[in-house]
Amino acid sequence: HAGLLSIEELKLALNGGACKIPEISEAFVAGQKLFDQSTPTGAMLDTVFVRAQFKALLRLTKNRALKKVILTEIDLKNISISLRARDEDEYKALKIDGGTLTKAQEEALLSREEARIKSAFKQGVLYDFVLAALSAQDKPLADFERLQESFALARFKAERFSLTKDAPFILYCMYRR
């Protein structure tokens, strides 16, 4: 197998067995609950597993620079979700836990008021992304996802020499992604 878990380990986790990445088992249980309650959408199931992925990454990552990249990716995804959600309930249902967005920033995004959004982000490193995200709202989702990836990479690249000796290797891995 090419991943961290073999097919047999995934099957065991799917059937409620112990898993070396417990977040995977939790995601299978949460996904099953969705099926028990109704017929979940692809977005609902995707959210369960993306949340599990980021929860595991945050737990397992010890490198400060890499953790910063993960937190940035969570923030970018949550910004995207907030700008595309129909309302606060949908945002809460799809939001990924663990990011650094403040309640005020989330409320500003959900207000859809450009001036309020700019004000909420003006002091932070996400300001340029938020401006670009606002202008990309009516464009295809693939364009927005490329914007997310390039922003996370550019942010890490700008800080790579001040973070850790592992930063150049992490940057290489990000380029390869």
Side-chain angles (χ1 to χ4, degrees):
H1 69 87
L4 290 174
L5 302 173
S6 68
I7 296 296
E8 291 74 29
E9 289 171 306
L10 286 172
K11 286 179 184 176
L12 183 65
L14 180 60
N15 292 313
C19 181
K20 61 185 164 190
I21 303 176
E23 293 83 359
I24 297 293
S25 297
E26 293 167 10
F28 283 137
V29 169
Q32 186 58 54
K33 280 183 184 175
L34 288 175
F35 275 105
D36 292 344
Q37 295 168 355
S38 66
T39 304
T41 64
M44 293 166 73
L45 290 170
D46 185 55
T47 298
V48 166
F49 285 93
V50 168
R51 284 177 175 160
Q53 171 194 354
F54 280 108
K55 184 177 178 183
L57 285 170
L58 287 172
R59 180 179 59 81
L60 294 169
T61 302
K62 306 299 180 221
N63 181 287
R64 185 173 53 94
L66 187 54
K67 191 164 275 205
K68 204 170 189 178
V69 169
I70 294 165
L71 290 170
T72 298
E73 288 187 3
I74 292 170
D75 289 342
L76 299 179
K77 288 190 180 303
N78 283 336
I79 291 168
S80 173
I81 291 166
S82 70
L83 292 174
R84 297 186 186 284
R86 288 184 298 268
D87 55 33
E88 186 175 353
D89 288 338
E90 184 178 20
Y91 172 69
K92 287 180 179 178
L94 298 173
K95 177 186 173 186
I96 300 166
D97 296 326
T100 65
L101 294 182
T102 65
K103 181 78 172 151
Q105 289 171 324
E106 290 177 327
E107 289 171 354
L109 287 163
L110 291 168
S111 77
R112 304 288 197 274
E113 297 170 24
E114 192 169 327
R116 187 173 168 195
I117 293 168
K118 287 178 178 180
S119 176
F121 285 90
K122 70 180 176 191
Q123 299 299 321
V125 295
L126 296 171
Y127 183 75
D128 291 336
F129 176 76
V130 169
L131 291 181
L134 287 170
S135 67
Q137 276 185 291
D138 298 326
K139 295 182 181 168
L141 188 57
D143 291 351
F144 194 79
E145 289 169 349
R146 276 192 295 279
L147 178 65
Q148 283 178 309
E149 290 169 8
S150 64
F151 182 84
L153 181 61
R155 179 166 180 218
F156 184 77
K157 189 176 177 184
E159 298 182 33
R160 71 186 182 274
F161 296 117
S162 64
L163 296 172
T164 67
K165 65 181 186 226
D166 300 331
F169 176 70
I170 294 169
L171 183 61
Y172 168 77
C173 292
M174 290 177 74
Y175 276 126
R176 298 288 298 162
R177 228 176 19 161

